[in-house]
Amino acid sequence: MEWDQQHETAVVQARQHWVNYYLQREPINRQLAKWESISTNSATELARQETQIADLRQQLRELDQQKSQQCNKLGQSEKKVVDGHQVNMQNGEDKTKGHKSNPKSYLDCLPSLPTKQNFWLLVIISAVNKFSNENGRCPSDTEVWNLLCNNTLSEYKITVSNDRGEISLATPGEKSLGRRSFKARWRRYTATK
């Protein structure tokens, strides 16, 4: 059953959509980091640097806006896949539950995402998207932590372990993420700019 759920067409397409999104972001992030690290010696160089940085940040904003619009379109479609089950949707209303669905974008919930992407950031974004699509609001750090600990994002193969007396999330090939580290990340990601 788990294999079937992970390989359903909608799940595979959603996962590929996120992969493509981050593959588009990464080169822009690298260029942005390069331009931000350059020291300038003249006003002309400084002006060029500021222009390049502004252009790259605008590209990131446009990419994020496109992603947000695509997520919203998916949320307003006639049929929605939730945990591998199809739910009939019409005008954003879940007919099986009888209430309005108003999903938030992860950009609303995590306004201060870093430019450098890593595995745990992708996992946290996926958890925030899952929660906000199901509940129509941004989650708290505890709600996201619980989603991760309960292995509701099975595509990431996360396990819960005890690392030096602290509950931690682990996955093959990645450094484990402890509760304290998660809370520190959450504070950085949710800080208002």
Side-chain angles (χ1 to χ4, degrees):
M1 256 175 73
E2 183 178 326
W3 189 93
D4 286 343
Q5 284 180 348
Q6 289 180 12
H7 292 84
E8 283 184 15
T9 304
V11 173
V12 170
Q13 287 175 345
R15 189 169 31 236
Q16 188 59 47
H17 196 68
W18 279 104
V19 168
N20 292 342
Y21 168 71
Y22 285 106
L23 287 175
Q24 289 174 328
R25 274 187 69 92
E26 194 54 36
I28 298 171
N29 284 330
R30 279 196 301 270
Q31 284 184 327
L32 184 60
K34 178 182 160 188
W35 277 102
E36 288 176 335
S37 67
I38 294 174
S39 61
T40 58
N41 295 327
S42 69
T44 305
E45 290 175 353
L46 179 63
R48 182 168 183 244
Q49 180 186 25
E50 289 175 348
T51 301
Q52 287 294 330
I53 289 172
D55 288 345
L56 291 168
R57 286 188 176 151
Q58 180 61 33
Q59 287 177 28
L60 287 174
R61 278 192 295 275
E62 289 171 0
L63 188 61
D64 290 344
Q65 190 174 30
Q66 288 172 358
K67 179 64 180 166
S68 177
Q69 289 170 351
Q70 289 168 345
C71 287
N72 287 339
K73 284 179 187 175
L74 289 174
Q76 294 171 355
S77 67
E78 287 297 315
K79 294 194 177 184
K80 179 180 173 184
V81 176
V82 178
D83 293 334
H85 295 66
Q86 229 172 30
V87 177
N88 291 327
M89 297 291 286
Q90 190 170 11
N91 299 326
E93 189 174 336
D94 181 341
K95 296 297 184 184
T96 60
K97 295 182 182 172
H99 63 80
K100 275 288 199 189
S101 165
N102 187 19
K104 298 266 185 199
S105 164
Y106 75 92
L107 297 170
D108 296 329
C109 302
L110 304 170
S112 298
L113 290 176
T115 55
K116 187 174 181 179
Q117 309 296 319
N118 63 43
F119 175 80
W120 291 115
L121 175 61
L122 296 177
V123 170
I124 291 169
I125 288 173
S126 293
V128 167
N129 274 333
K130 179 177 178 61
F131 183 92
S132 62
N133 284 333
E134 291 174 359
N135 298 286
R137 64 176 177 83
C138 292
S140 68
D141 63 327
T142 303
E143 290 165 326
V144 170
W145 181 257
N146 288 338
L147 276 176
L148 298 176
C149 287
N150 293 327
N151 199 20
T152 56
L153 302 170
S154 56
E155 66 269 23
Y156 291 107
K157 309 254 186 279
I158 297 170
T159 58
V160 179
S161 63
N162 194 331
D163 186 21
R164 290 176 250 158
E166 179 183 32
I167 294 176
S168 298
L169 304 174
T171 193
E174 296 292 332
K175 185 179 175 190
S176 64
L177 179 67
R179 177 73 168 132
R180 286 189 300 267
S181 297
F182 169 80
K183 283 178 106 34
R185 280 177 181 258
W186 186 262
R187 282 193 296 274
R188 286 194 313 269
Y189 299 166
T190 58
T192 54
K193 293 180 180 180

